[in-house]
Amino acid sequence: MPPAIQARIDPSDIVQQTIAEAWRCKDQFRGEACDSYLPWLRGILTRVAAANLRRHLGTQSRDADREVEITEILQRTDANLDAIVIASSLGPASAAQHNEQVLALTSAMEKLSADHRNVLIWRHFEDLSHAQIAERLGKSEAAARMLWVRALKSLRAKM
């Protein structure tokens, strides 16, 4: 989710809404094994997250910059959904290993300072250039690049 929305939406709220929706819709689950339960839950999670995103974006004033940003977000979301589809086609051991790596990365990212976490998110998840990051931080490009290098070192240490 974009940084402006992250301040409004708590991930634990999304998880709770997903669990509540899954409980309400449990009779609609047509699978017979655990392998089909996870994609069903992912679908609910995707709908809940999209609804929250629409609700919060709908409350902001609209301008051309935000519309472009939403388009970029949707493109990244499509790429993330592709990754989920690929991950779901992995065998159980590979999927478990992948999930462990994601959890380890998430845990390490949470332990970083806000500046380090933001610069890594902007660079690696939002694909911003060092110049764009510098502009967001109000620093020189060289300072933004050094902050990124320090953030990577800190992340490696926490992993």
Side-chain angles (χ1 to χ4, degrees), residues 2 5 7 15 17 28 41 49 53 60 66 70 72 76 82 90 96 98 101 103 107 126 138 152:
I5 300 300
V15 171
Q17 290 173 13
Q28 297 174 5
L41 275 178
L53 187 60
Q60 297 176 357
R66 287 200 173 119
I70 291 169
E72 293 171 1
R76 283 197 307 272
D82 289 344
L90 298 174
H98 172 75
Q101 291 170 344
L103 287 174
S107 176
E126 294 185 17
L152 283 174

Side-chain angles (χ1 to χ4, degrees), residues 68-140:
V68 170
E69 186 178 30
I70 291 169
T71 303
E72 293 171 1
I73 291 167
L74 291 175
Q75 289 171 348
R76 283 197 307 272
T77 301
D78 288 344
N80 289 341
L81 289 175
D82 289 344
I84 289 170
V85 169
I86 290 168
S88 67
S89 67
L90 298 174
S94 297
Q97 184 179 15
H98 172 75
N99 290 340
E100 287 175 8
Q101 291 170 344
V102 169
L103 287 174
L105 177 62
T106 303
S107 176
M109 290 285 287
E110 288 174 351
K111 294 175 185 172
L112 295 175
S113 69
D115 284 343
H116 284 180
R117 185 173 43 253
N118 286 338
V119 78
L120 290 173
I121 289 170
W122 293 335
R123 181 73 178 135
H124 297 282
F125 294 99
E126 294 185 17
D127 296 322
L128 296 182
S129 68
H130 291 291
Q132 292 169 316
I133 293 170
E135 187 176 319
R136 281 193 180 183
L137 294 172
K139 297 182 178 193
S140 69

